[in-house]
Amino acid sequence: MDRTIAIDVSHLCKTYDSHHAVNDLSFQVYAGEIFGLLGPNGAGKSTTLRTLITLLHPTSGTATVMGHDTVREADTVRTLIGYVPQERAIDRFLTGREHLQLLGALYHLTTDEATKRINELLKLVDLEDHADRPAKTYSGGMKRKLDIACGLLPNPKILFLDEPTLGLDVQSRLRIWEYVRMLKARGMTVVMTTNYLDEADQLCDRLAIIDGGKIKTLGSPIELKIALGGDIVSLTLKELDRIPSLETELKGRPAIKSVRTTTKGLDIRVESPEKALPAILEAANRLGCSIEFIQYNRPRLDDVFIAHTGRAITESIPETESAS
Amino acid sequence: MEHYWQEISALTMRWVRRLSREKFSMLFTLVQPMLFWLIFFGNLFQRAADTQVMQAPNYISFLAAGVVIMTVLNNGLAGGVDLLFDKENGFLERLMSTPIHRTSVILSRFIFVMGITSMQVLVILGVSYLFGVHPATGILGVATILLIGMMFGVGLTAISMAMAFSVKSHGDFFSVLGFLSLPMIFLSSALVPLTAMPGWMSFLAQFNPMTWAIDAVRPLILSGWTEALPHVGMVILVMLVFDALCLYGGAKAFRRAMG
């Protein structure tokens, strides 16, 4: 993977009166990845994002986007980024096309350039048929798609998404995820904030868990889960006397971190189930242990979150969550 | 410079489009409540008002200048409302995250508010004309009235925008707006001349920039250039100071809100 640094945040602090919204934040975003800022409301995600899109000046510390300082070279940064604010940043009286035309002028596109790009984008987000209706007639999902088209209009190197699926129904949500993955496939760098754990888990290559204005941990979802101790495969054996021999056999094998005996079998901590499961089954087979029951527990990002912040993410997760 | 113009015209077009999308709203914007002051208030007090005190042939011709400036007042004070909504729903952030000149959004708003206000002032002068109020200084006088209106309007719109950028919620904004507007009208020479007011009211009204504007517009309508010119010169000075203060405050509020 390309490890060019797209965004470099260094010792960023933002203080309002005596309240530290963001306190000594440092991280890097690589070009071409989907980077997530995960945390409850008020954790400092939005402050960080708004600094990166040049709308906030840091109290101290710096942030650069493609090597350009967000304060001193704000205008350059603005030409490189696209921004999708939280839902409903839409003028209900304008049509979808007019939104894009307005932004086209603000990015100083010529009319021809703008028309061409607008048609492409409307097609991309499936809004061609509704482009000339005022946005107040749009559904939540359509508004979100228009939002994303607006963010993509400047053909940005980096796209910033603020809570991209907040309050959306399941289908729209999946649709947005699809777009984000497609943009990544096209080589775009995506930075998003979210307070949905499953969204961060599914979508982000790497994520930073932010709480109280500080980064609690940072890494890929898998790394973060592994750091907790890995997945657990629990075996229940038919012949309990075979447990010790299987334990010896499995200990120290690659992809297996630890083996612990239980009353009816073994609890095996594994690095990756893909590698460990065949090894476990093969060993059991070779020793002639018949397995009665096999259970596999993957630590969820919820566990990571709780481990690092000491509590569950405070925002309640909407009902749509369970269906996806 | 070319970019700046492209931004401002696109942003101004947006305000125009918004207004034109709502035919009703457009109608009511042009034929707005100020006209009722002129028509109903003006005619209602026709006989109750003393023409000696008013120094005018009839009450409606006295009132016309007041209604013109009241229109400017209301439009100006409400001028920031749309930016307030833009701020609340994130549209403003979206605009400001684009590589536009930081003043473009604000400037587009000034242009739009001033344009609409000019049209309304012309409608009011037109309706006054139908009631027999013929501006004594002619077309040039009407142009001067528009100039005075615009100068007053710029400062008011700046105040309104400053408030839009500073308030926590739009509830606060509208409370302050409702609170400001009526005292501004009563404590001015819009409805009666200062000489006919109780002492304490006329004292306060002297400090109201609205009084200065009305006292310049009124002779332009009623008397003629010789009487109007000193007032016009004076109001231009007053308005320059007023605008400078308001724009300074507005710029400060904007910078605070936009980082």
Side-chain angles (χ1 to χ4, degrees):
Chain A
M1 193 191 195
D2 191 354
R3 298 275 90 166
T4 315
I5 289 167
I7 293 174
D8 193 355
V9 175
S10 167
H11 303 290
L12 182 74
C13 294
K14 181 69 187 179
T15 313
Y16 294 103
D17 301 321
S18 61
H19 166 70
H20 295 284
V22 164
N23 195 356
D24 197 26
L25 219 64
S26 297
F27 62 89
Q28 292 171 332
V29 176
Y30 300 124
E33 73 175 347
I34 302 176
F35 187 87
L37 294 166
L38 176 69
N41 288 344
K45 291 171 299 179
S46 289
T47 305
T48 310
L49 194 75
R50 294 183 72 226
T51 307
L52 290 173
I53 61 170
T54 75
L55 294 184
L56 279 183
H57 290 189
T59 310
S60 66
T62 57
T64 64
V65 172
M66 312 294 280
H68 300 282
D69 188 273
T70 57
V71 178
R72 277 180 291 110
E73 300 169 275
D75 264 330
T76 316
V77 171
R78 288 180 193 128
T79 60
L80 296 170
I81 60 167
Y83 172 47
V84 181
Q86 283 196 23
E87 209 194 0
R88 284 192 301 280
I90 273 185
D91 186 330
R92 37 200 303 276
F93 296 108
L94 298 188
T95 67
R97 195 185 302 280
E98 283 165 351
H99 276 87
L100 295 164
Q101 284 166 343
L102 172 64
L103 286 167
L106 301 188
Y107 284 104
H108 313 125
L109 303 181
T110 64
T111 319
D112 289 348
E113 260 180 309
T115 312
K116 187 164 161 275
R117 222 180 267 181
I118 288 167
N119 287 334
E120 282 169 12
L121 283 173
L122 286 171
K123 197 167 176 178
L124 178 79
V125 298
D126 249 337
L127 278 180
E128 282 167 306
D129 297 340
H130 314 285
D132 298 304
R133 272 168 38 196
K136 64 179 163 189
T137 65
Y138 286 14
S139 67
M142 286 161 73
K143 282 182 185 158
R144 207 65 194 133
K145 290 198 230 169
L146 176 58
D147 265 336
I148 290 185
C150 288
L152 290 174
L153 186 84
N155 204 3
K157 297 266 185 293
I158 304 177
L159 184 68
F160 291 92
L161 299 164
D162 198 0
E163 304 282 356
T165 63
L166 194 66
L168 288 189
D169 60 75
V170 184
Q171 271 112 340
S172 306
R173 230 170 151 224
L174 295 176
R175 202 54 181 281
I176 301 296
W177 289 4
E178 239 173 72
Y179 291 143
V180 174
R181 290 197 185 102
M182 180 194 62
L183 295 171
K184 175 188 148 78
R186 290 182 174 190
M188 200 175 282
T189 308
V190 178
V191 177
M192 56 186 278
T193 67
T194 182
N195 55 30
Y196 294 143
L197 291 154
D198 66 328
E199 181 162 281
D201 199 1
Q202 294 263 338
L203 217 48
C204 297
D205 295 312
R206 289 193 314 139
L207 54 95
I209 292 183
I210 299 189
D211 192 32
K214 285 180 178 289
I215 290 186
K216 296 294 180 180
T217 183
L218 189 153
S220 71
I222 293 176
E223 278 166 12
L224 295 180
K225 289 178 210 164
I226 290 174
L228 281 192
D231 300 6
I232 296 177
V233 176
S234 304
L235 301 179
T236 306
L237 299 183
K238 278 188 179 147
E239 300 96 343
L240 297 181
D241 54 329
R242 300 277 175 105
I243 292 175
S245 58
L246 185 59
E247 186 189 359
T248 342
E249 179 66 24
L250 287 174
K251 261 189 182 160
R253 283 205 169 213
I256 290 175
K257 292 179 78 172
S258 68
V259 184
R260 196 167 61 86
T261 52
T262 59
T263 47
K264 286 179 187 165
L266 294 170
D267 268 358
I268 308 158
R269 271 195 188 275
V270 300
E271 249 163 45
S272 80
E274 291 81 0
K275 285 184 199 150
L277 271 178
I280 294 169
L281 293 177
E282 189 261 336
N285 207 18
R286 192 148 34 81
L287 295 176
C289 306
S290 32
I291 294 168
E292 189 173 24
F293 193 71
I294 185 161
Q295 196 185 6
Y296 161 58
N297 286 318
R298 159 166 270 182
R300 292 162 311 152
L301 209 50
D302 304 55
D303 303 322
V304 177
F305 192 87
I306 292 167
H308 288 280
T309 65
R311 62 199 161 89
I313 200 154
T314 41
E315 267 268 322
S316 63
I317 291 169
E319 286 122 41
T320 55
E321 198 84 353
S322 53
S324 65
Chain B
M1 201 58 213
E2 198 185 314
H3 283 176
Y4 198 28
W5 177 241
Q6 188 183 15
E7 293 159 11
I8 291 172
S9 59
L11 289 163
T12 310
M13 257 323 280
R14 172 182 168 225
W15 304 121
V16 175
R17 276 198 176 126
R18 277 172 67 108
L19 186 63
S20 67
R21 280 298 131 77
E22 292 214 303
K23 300 276 183 272
F24 261 123
S25 157
M26 185 154 82
L27 188 72
F28 288 126
T29 305
L30 286 176
V31 188
Q32 35 85 47
M34 282 302 107
L35 217 48
F36 298 146
W37 281 86
L38 187 74
I39 297 170
F40 295 118
F41 209 72
N43 285 307
L44 195 64
F45 282 75
Q46 202 70 283
R47 293 182 56 200
D50 186 336
T51 49
Q52 282 306 102
V53 176
M54 298 301 151
Q55 300 282 309
N58 50 34
Y59 187 59
I60 199 163
S61 61
F62 173 86
L63 191 63
V67 173
V68 164
I69 297 301
M70 278 155 72
T71 304
V72 175
L73 176 79
N74 279 3
N75 274 334
L77 287 181
V81 174
D82 291 70
L83 288 180
L84 177 67
F85 288 126
D86 274 2
K87 184 185 88 170
E88 286 187 345
N89 73 14
F91 202 84
L92 189 64
E93 278 202 346
R94 158 167 280 154
L95 297 179
M96 295 313 274
S97 74
T98 67
I100 56 172
H101 195 275
R102 299 294 97 181
T103 55
S104 292
V105 176
I106 290 179
L107 214 57
S108 75
R109 192 68 202 161
F110 273 119
I111 292 171
F112 176 75
V113 174
M114 293 306 122
I116 292 292
T117 308
S118 302
M119 286 195 326
Q120 292 178 334
V121 166
L122 291 176
V123 169
I124 284 174
L125 290 175
V127 173
S128 310
Y129 196 89
L130 296 180
F131 283 104
V133 183
H134 301 199
T137 48
I139 295 290
L140 198 59
V142 171
T144 314
I145 292 172
L146 283 179
L147 174 74
I148 295 168
M150 294 308 96
M151 288 186 81
F152 188 37
V154 164
L156 292 166
T157 310
I159 294 178
S160 177
M161 288 187 197
M163 253 165 57
F165 289 125
S166 320
V167 292
K168 292 271 175 288
S169 77
H170 61 257
D172 293 354
F173 183 90
F174 289 111
S175 317
V176 176
L177 207 68
F179 186 81
L180 267 182
S181 137
L182 276 181
M184 283 281 279
I185 291 170
F186 288 129
L187 292 176
S188 80
S189 52
L191 307 177
V192 289
L194 294 196
T195 48
M197 283 185 185
W200 65 274
M201 282 182 84
S202 71
F203 175 77
L204 290 176
Q206 288 172 48
F207 299 101
N208 186 349
M210 201 170 154
T211 299
W212 295 85
I214 294 167
D215 286 352
V217 172
R218 189 162 286 143
L220 284 168
I221 294 176
L222 291 178
S223 325
W225 285 110
T226 33
E227 192 161 327
L229 266 181
H231 289 286
V232 171
M234 196 59 207
V235 78
I236 286 177
L237 279 180
V238 170
M239 287 305 159
L240 282 176
V241 175
F242 175 70
D243 287 349
L245 287 175
C246 295
L247 288 173
Y248 176 75
K252 245 176 102 171
F254 179 68
R255 234 173 270 133
R256 201 173 334 112
M258 289 286 101

